[in-house]
């Protein structure tokens, strides 16, 4: 009888030739091995989650012709099956000079139970991705945040529910019990096991190598945008510690990850950089250090800028920023809220945006450094974001020096989470604007939202994105949506 995985396998990518496989077994399983055309590799234990052991294996695939790599897992000579009963999986390796087909998705869950219950076929777009993968395989899947939604933590963790009923003063002074800490870790373990074992998603995670970065719902809604006394209290620290453990094991794939910008033993962030064919992929961790006043600390910025200056010197650049850098302006709503007694209740919703007044300086720093890099590199620059439960397209234009250089912002959200209702969207429109933004005193650097071909400016349907360079050397962005619209946009 075959052994069975608790979760996985989950494919990762860490260089042009290095692929990783993460999977979770019960704690009794002896060291498994991964078999593939490249040979047999012993898995390495990288951690534990609940009663399960998390394993990591590495596959080195030399550059060459396009091919499918089939792999399997064995323990004590017996085959190991996944939750779907599969014992063999395969992924596509593009040829050395082949433009890779890349997918991008975010917001893989629901912010409340009622929303989930009222959504027909929640994982429909994962099935759509599987169909597209069958027709023309993806080489890489980028996931830009909210790979799980932890919103139910407040109602399903008994000790946390009781804590949340206390006064603010009691909450801040409370020291988490061992029972609370155990319940928190159990919650995140169960969350990943439930969500990532959904057949449609599990099939893709085992068939397409992925690179992931978290956003707030992977921790709790609004993480990093709360008032300082709550953000720094011991219970919130315990929540973050539990969320971080599961994130680092399953999304980052452990401390052995070769793409991380700094040594995890001394790091407070998970930003990463990898080259894949002609793409540079910079993944920004905008949650680990986030506060109302700061998104990334000084040392974190130094790591990011060093990667841009020393590693990102040619080819195209994809930047994962979970929260859109170019989006609607919430300053009116923010100013109005500052003058009301409800400021602290609603502050995380507004302070979470890059355009919040406290983050404007860091946002401008990021934009200007990306423009500097684009001018030196002379390749396409595309920011990939999610978070807002809409699809959209933004552009930053730099006309200094007599020529135009552009950075595009692609928003894809969510692959599972529904878009705002019509009434909710009217409310957003009423308190925001998307007028042209001037980013320097010469008015030669601008940012604004633009309309994709084949849809409205804002795509108010569930969606994911495909990126593929065409024979015309343009990078084609296609939003795969529910509904009849087929938005697309070619980047020069």
């Amino acid at each position: 009888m075959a052994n069975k995985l608790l979760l996985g396998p989950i494919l990762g990518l860490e260089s042009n030739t290095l692929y990783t496989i993460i999977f979770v077994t019960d704690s009794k399983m002896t060291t498994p091995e991964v078999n593939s055309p490249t040979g047999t590799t012993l898995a390495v234990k990288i951690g534990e989650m609940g009663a399960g052991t998390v394993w990591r294996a590495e596959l080195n695939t030399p550059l060459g012709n396009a091919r499918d790599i089939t792999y399997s897992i064995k323990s004590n000579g017996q085959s190991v099956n996944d939750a779907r009963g599969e014992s063999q999986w395969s992924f596509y390796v593009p040829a050395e000079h082949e433009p890779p087909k890349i997918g991008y998705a975010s917001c893989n869950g629901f912010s409340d139970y009622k929303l989930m219950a009222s959504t027909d076929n929640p994982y429909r777009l994962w099935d759509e991705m599987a169909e597209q993968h069958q027709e023309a395989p993806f080489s890489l899947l980028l996931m830009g945040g909210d790979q799980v939604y932890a919103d139910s933590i407040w109602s399903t963790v008994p000790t946390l529910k009781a804590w949340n009923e206390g006064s603010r003063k009691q909450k801040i002074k409370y020291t988490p019990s061992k029972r609370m800490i155990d319940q928190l870790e159990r919650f995140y373990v169960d969350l990943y096991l439930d969500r990532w074992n959904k057949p449609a998603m599990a099939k893709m995670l085992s068939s397409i190598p992925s690179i992931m970065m978290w956003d707030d719902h992977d921790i709790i809604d609004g993480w990093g945008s709360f008032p300082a006394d709550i953000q720094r209290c011991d219970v919130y620290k315990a929540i973050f510690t539990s969320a971080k453990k599961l994130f680092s094991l399953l999304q980052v794939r452990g401390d052995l990850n070769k793409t991380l910008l700094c040594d995890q033993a001394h790091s407070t962030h998970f930003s990463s950089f990898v080259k894949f064919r002609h793409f540079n992929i910079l993944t920004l961790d905008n949650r680990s250090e986030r506060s109302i006043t700061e998104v990334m600390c000084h040392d974190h910025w130094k790591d990011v800028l060093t990667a841009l200056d020393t590693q990102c010197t040619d080819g195209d650049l994809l930047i994962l920023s979970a929260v859109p850098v170019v989006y609607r302006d919430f300053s009116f709503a923010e100013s109005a809220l500052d003058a009301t007694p409800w400021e602290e209740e609603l502050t995380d919703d507004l302070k979470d945006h890059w355009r919040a007044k406290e983050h404007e300086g860091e946002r401008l720093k990021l934009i200007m450094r990306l423009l500097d890099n684009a001018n030196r590199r002379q390749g396409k620059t595309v920011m990939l974001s999610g978070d807002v439960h809409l699809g959209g397209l933004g552009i930053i234009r730099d006309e200094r020096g007599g020529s135009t250089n552009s950075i595009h912002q692609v928003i894809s959200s969510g692959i599972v989470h529904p878009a705002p209702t019509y009434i909710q969207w009217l409310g957003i429109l009423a308190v925001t604007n998307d007028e042209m933004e001037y980013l320097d005193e010469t008015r030669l650097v601008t940012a604004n939202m633009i309309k994709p071909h084949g849809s409205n400016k804002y795509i108010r349907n569930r969606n994911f994105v495909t990126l593929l360079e065409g024979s015309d050397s343009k990078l084609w962005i296609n939003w795969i949506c529910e509904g009849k619209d087929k938005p697309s946009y070619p980047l020069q």
Side-chain angles (χ1 to χ4, degrees):
M1 183 177 177
N3 298 304
K4 192 171 184 179
L5 298 177
L6 299 180
L7 182 65
I10 304 162
L11 282 166
L13 176 80
E14 295 185 15
S15 81
N16 246 331
T17 58
L18 177 61
Y19 293 80
T20 63
I21 301 169
I22 298 293
F23 52 93
V24 183
T25 69
D26 66 49
S27 55
K28 297 177 183 178
M29 187 178 291
T30 56
T31 302
E33 60 183 34
V34 175
N35 299 299
S36 75
T38 63
T40 298
T41 305
L42 287 178
V44 176
K45 177 181 175 181
I46 60 171
E48 295 179 350
M49 45 180 279
T53 299
V54 186
W55 303 91
R56 169 188 165 107
E58 297 183 356
L59 300 182
N60 284 289
T61 57
L63 295 174
N65 296 327
R67 58 203 184 279
D68 291 308
I69 300 289
T70 299
Y71 66 100
S72 61
I73 302 170
K74 288 189 175 182
S75 178
N76 286 332
Q78 283 190 312
S79 294
V80 177
N81 291 351
D82 65 14
R84 299 176 295 125
E86 301 291 334
S87 60
Q88 278 194 337
W89 311 271
S90 64
F91 62 95
Y92 178 74
V93 177
E96 183 173 358
H97 300 293
E98 176 185 348
K101 180 182 176 183
I102 297 175
Y104 176 78
S106 70
C107 300
N108 178 55
F110 297 94
S111 51
D112 67 66
Y113 177 78
K114 288 182 180 179
L115 198 60
M116 178 170 62
S118 63
T119 301
D120 184 44
N121 196 357
Y123 298 93
R124 172 184 170 182
L125 286 177
W126 282 108
D127 289 327
E128 175 69 26
M129 185 184 292
E131 291 178 12
Q132 289 217 359
H133 184 61
Q134 185 71 26
E135 294 172 4
F138 288 92
S139 301
L140 178 63
L141 174 61
L142 302 174
M143 299 194 70
D146 299 338
Q147 277 67 258
V148 291
Y149 272 68
D151 299 65
S152 62
I153 193 171
W154 303 108
S155 58
T156 58
V157 176
T159 52
L160 194 59
K161 185 177 179 181
W163 171 84
N164 205 29
E165 293 172 353
S167 69
R168 190 185 188 105
K169 186 176 180 181
Q170 289 173 324
K171 290 180 184 179
I172 291 169
K173 288 186 175 182
Y174 183 81
T175 300
S177 63
K178 183 180 184 301
R179 183 164 171 256
M180 176 182 276
I181 291 170
D182 290 344
Q183 287 180 358
L184 287 171
E185 179 164 340
R186 185 73 250 175
F187 168 81
Y188 284 103
V189 169
D190 290 345
L191 184 65
Y192 277 91
L193 292 179
D194 178 64
R195 299 297 187 267
W196 285 20
N197 269 323
K198 300 299 182 187
M201 182 182 182
K203 182 178 181 179
M204 291 297 90
L205 291 182
S206 65
S207 304
I208 309 173
S210 57
I211 295 172
M212 304 184 188
M213 180 49 68
W214 62 357
D215 200 21
D216 56 335
H217 290 277
D218 297 283
I219 311 165
I220 53 173
D221 182 23
W223 178 263
S225 298
F226 297 106
D229 57 345
I230 289 289
Q231 184 81 37
R232 296 171 185 168
C233 77
D234 288 340
V235 170
Y236 269 48
K237 288 179 181 177
I239 291 171
F240 180 75
T241 298
S242 294
K244 178 182 176 182
K245 176 181 176 180
L246 272 294
F247 167 72
S248 63
L249 288 174
L250 300 178
Q251 296 198 42
V252 178
R253 289 80 193 264
D255 293 347
L256 299 175
N257 189 316
K258 309 292 193 299
T259 70
L260 297 171
L261 293 184
C262 56
D263 180 5
Q264 285 303 292
H266 306 96
S267 175
T268 58
H269 71 83
F270 293 94
S271 289
S272 65
F273 180 88
V274 64
K275 285 181 175 287
F276 180 58
R277 301 307 187 261
H278 70 281
F279 286 105
N280 302 274
I281 302 169
L282 174 62
T283 306
L284 298 179
D285 179 0
N286 290 158
R287 287 295 165 183
S288 291
E289 300 167 337
R290 192 185 192 96
S291 69
I292 286 182
T293 59
E294 187 176 62
V295 179
M296 298 187 290
C297 76
H298 175 269
D299 288 344
H300 189 167
W301 270 107
K302 185 177 179 182
D303 292 333
V304 169
L305 298 180
T306 297
L308 283 173
D309 292 342
T310 63
Q311 299 184 70
C312 185
T313 56
D314 57 13
D316 295 337
L317 171 61
L318 305 178
I319 310 108
L320 271 66
S321 170
V323 177
V325 176
V326 181
Y327 191 55
R328 298 184 66 86
D329 180 14
F330 284 76
S331 59
F332 171 77
E334 189 178 10
S335 298
L337 193 62
D338 285 344
T340 74
W342 305 288
E343 178 186 357
E344 284 200 354
E345 284 186 46
L346 302 176
T347 189
D348 62 292
D349 291 325
L350 295 178
K351 303 304 183 186
D352 238 25
H353 287 274
W354 268 111
R355 293 189 70 173
K357 61 186 179 184
E358 292 86 353
H359 302 319
E360 285 179 345
E362 275 188 277
R363 173 179 179 257
L364 188 59
K365 178 179 180 179
L366 176 63
I367 289 171
M368 292 305 181
R369 291 306 292 261
L370 290 177
L371 286 172
D372 289 345
N373 176 268
N375 283 320
R376 292 195 307 271
R377 180 172 37 83
Q378 293 296 300
K380 302 178 187 72
T381 304
V382 185
M383 294 184 287
L384 299 169
S385 297
D387 183 73
V388 294
H389 304 152
L390 295 162
L393 180 66
I395 187 169
I396 299 168
R397 293 184 182 90
D398 181 5
E399 296 179 315
R400 297 171 297 177
S403 61
T404 300
N405 194 17
S406 299
I407 294 175
H408 288 85
Q409 164 89 72
V410 174
I411 304 172
S412 176
S413 172
I415 190 168
V416 169
H417 197 288
T421 65
Y422 181 65
I423 298 300
Q424 290 169 332
W425 182 233
L426 288 179
I428 293 170
L429 294 177
V431 297
T432 64
N433 72 76
D434 62 358
E435 296 173 359
M436 177 77 74
E437 182 184 9
Y438 297 96
L439 297 173
D440 76 335
E441 67 276 10
T442 68
R443 298 171 74 88
L444 294 175
V445 182
T446 60
N448 64 293
M449 299 296 293
I450 59 177
K451 180 182 174 297
H453 302 301
S455 76
N456 296 326
K457 183 186 287 189
Y458 294 97
I459 302 165
R460 205 166 54 81
N461 288 296
R462 296 194 297 174
N463 63 91
F464 68 91
V465 156
T466 65
L467 303 91
L468 181 62
E469 186 174 296
S471 57
D472 54 5
S473 297
K474 297 174 183 176
L475 182 62
W476 281 87
I477 311 296
N478 293 284
W479 286 263
I480 311 303
C481 306
E482 288 186 312
K484 65 181 185 302
D485 288 348
K486 299 183 183 299
S488 65
Y489 200 86
L491 305 186
Q492 301 287 350

